């Protein structure tokens, strides 16, 4: 009971702190994968969806939206922290239009990656198509606000990119194509080249405030730990080492791009060590379960395997770092967003 009370007040304390910081960003514009997809996959033909219970059970009204969590995702909290709005809509959701998108929109697609081959695995939106949607959005925004106001609006908006884990866990390691073509360090360089060119294109289209996320300790995701049963279901350190190496290369690229592109404010937000701290010291954050997820048995369920018929789903997701075997709970998303907002993203305030 004491842990539950502590967890609740800790969560409320962080929420109040974030609200007290004023905004200097008119919109949060998002690209990436399931970490930041609020429901675009609902509108495409793919098996990777989450627009059904128990997903969204702690969201506003208890409604599943297509977010891969029990509630809100990190970008929702970042938008709220900037004083914009409490949730960022999916670009493909027909319930919204340019009036909604003007203050924040997500083009992200669960299951996608930098590599086109990654999006092919589960037939989701490739990363390049997110840029196509962004250009379409820009045209709509100029029609809504006028050219000059829209251009200024875009230059002041935060463009946030969160992607990359699927390239390794859904593509490079499970299938032989890329791993036979590249040693892992060269694959990292290949992906960062795609990321760098994406940022250059955003810059050429008028974006000036850009944040790109690094990789989490992906060897500690419950699904990966389940496959490591011969070693006590410990984190797969090989995967964690790859994440750390990728993050260093990404940071080096960010440094170079800041030199190359005049007037850009480009930062890398690194979730690795904050999430690892939560995993290694869960009691400090009010968590009780780190190796398994809330939904189902917590070992392997995700998407359609995490459904309302599963009798093993936990009653209190705030005790868990992970909601399903691959994605964080709303509470974890909030802590990671709060950390990013108060560290890396301070340059935009």
């Amino acid at each position: 009971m004491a842990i539950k009370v502590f967890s609740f007040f800790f969560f409320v304390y962080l929420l109040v702190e974030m609200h007290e910081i004023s905004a200097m960003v008119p919109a949060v514009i998002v690209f990436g994968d399931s970490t930041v997809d609020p429901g675009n996959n609902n509108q495409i033909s793919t098996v990777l969806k989450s627009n059904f219970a128990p997903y969204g059970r702690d969201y506003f009204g208890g409604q599943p939206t297509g977010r891969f969590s029990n509630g809100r995702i990190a970008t929702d909290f970042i938008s709220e922290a900037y004083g914009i709005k409490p949730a960022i809509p999916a670009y493909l959701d027909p319930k919204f239009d340019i009036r909604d998108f003007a203050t924040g929109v997500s083009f992200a697609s669960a299951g996608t990656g930098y590599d086109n081959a990654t999006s092919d695995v589960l037939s989701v939106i490739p990363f390049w198509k997110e840029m196509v949607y962004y250009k379409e959005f820009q045209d709509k925004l100029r029609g809504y606000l006028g050219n000059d106001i829209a251009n200024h609006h875009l230059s002041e908006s935060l463009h946030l990119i969160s992607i990359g884990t699927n390239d390794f866990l859904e593509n490079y390691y499970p299938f032989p194509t890329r791993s036979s073509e590249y040693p892992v360090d060269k694959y990292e360089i290949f992906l960062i080249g795609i990321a760098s060119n994406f940022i250059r294109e955003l810059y050429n289209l008028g974006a000036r405030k850009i944040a790109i996320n690094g990789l989490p300790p992906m060897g500690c995701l419950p699904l990966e730990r389940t496959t490591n049963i011969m070693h006590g279901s410990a984190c797969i350190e090989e995967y964690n080492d790859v994440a750390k190496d990728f993050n260093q290369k990404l940071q080096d690229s960010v440094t170079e791009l800041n030199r190359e592109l005049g007037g850009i404010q480009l930062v890398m937000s690194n979730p690795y060590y904050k999430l690892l701290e939560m995993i290694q010291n869960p009691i400090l954050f009010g968590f009780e379960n780190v190796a398994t997820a809330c939904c189902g048995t917590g070992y392997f369920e995700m998407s359609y395997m995490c459904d309302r018929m599963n009798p093993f789903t936990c009653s209190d997701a705030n005790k868990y770092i992970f909601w399903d075997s691959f994605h964080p709970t709303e509470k974890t998303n909030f802590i990671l967003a709060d950390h990013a907002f108060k560290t890396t993203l301070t340059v935009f305030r």
Side-chain angles (χ1 to χ4, degrees), residues 7 10-11 70 285-287 318 329-335:
S7 173
F10 177 75
F11 187 78
N70 59 303
F285 301 88
F287 292 115
N318 285 334
T329 57
E330 179 182 63
K331 179 180 172 182
T332 303
N333 283 325
F334 180 85
I335 295 170

Side-chain angles (χ1 to χ4, degrees), residues 84-103:
I84 304 170
K85 55 188 177 185
I88 296 177
Y91 182 67
L92 297 183
D93 191 330
K95 296 194 302 291
F96 301 101
D97 59 27
I98 192 59
R99 292 169 295 180
D100 306 292
F101 301 148
T103 53

Side-chain angles (χ1 to χ4, degrees), residues 69-205:
S69 186
N70 59 303
R72 286 189 283 173
I73 52 181
T75 39
D76 294 324
F77 290 116
I78 288 171
S79 172
E80 185 172 58
Y82 278 116
I84 304 170
K85 55 188 177 185
I88 296 177
Y91 182 67
L92 297 183
D93 191 330
K95 296 194 302 291
F96 301 101
D97 59 27
I98 192 59
R99 292 169 295 180
D100 306 292
F101 301 148
T103 53
V105 60
S106 176
F107 307 98
S109 176
T112 201
Y114 290 114
D115 188 352
N116 288 339
T118 303
S119 62
D120 290 341
V121 174
L122 292 169
S123 300
V124 298
I125 301 166
F127 193 41
W128 63 265
K129 187 66 176 288
E130 295 185 27
M131 180 64 77
V132 172
Y133 287 141
Y134 175 63
K135 292 176 182 177
E136 183 179 273
F137 157 76
Q138 283 200 340
D139 290 341
K140 292 177 181 178
L141 189 69
R142 292 189 175 100
Y144 179 56
L145 297 178
N147 284 342
D148 291 343
I149 295 175
N151 290 339
H152 178 73
H153 187 84
L154 290 166
S155 70
E156 292 296 319
S157 296
L158 172 60
H159 294 68
L160 195 149
I161 304 165
S162 179
I163 194 170
T165 301
N166 295 324
D167 289 303
F168 295 97
L169 301 186
E170 184 185 305
N171 179 5
Y172 186 85
Y173 285 110
F175 299 105
T177 306
R178 288 306 194 198
S179 56
S180 63
E181 188 177 358
Y182 298 100
V184 69
D185 62 318
K186 293 295 190 292
Y187 188 61
E188 294 168 16
I189 293 169
F190 168 71
L191 297 178
I192 288 169
I194 296 170
S196 299
N197 287 334
F198 193 91
I199 290 167
R200 289 187 182 97
E201 189 163 5
L202 284 177
Y203 177 85
N204 290 335
L205 290 168

Side-chain angles (χ1 to χ4, degrees), residues 248-294:
Q248 184 56 61
K249 287 183 173 71
L250 184 61
Q251 181 59 66
D252 292 344
S253 178
V254 165
T255 300
E256 288 300 316
L257 287 167
N258 273 310
R259 293 195 191 105
E260 174 188 329
L261 305 173
I264 197 172
Q265 289 180 291
L266 172 63
V267 299
M268 176 190 157
S269 181
N270 187 349
Y272 185 96
Y273 293 104
K274 192 64 180 179
L275 185 54
L276 189 64
E277 179 189 2
M278 294 158 65
I279 291 167
Q280 293 177 339
N281 301 285
I283 194 69
L284 297 180
F285 301 88
F287 292 115
E288 297 179 12
N289 301 77
V290 302
T292 58
C294 171

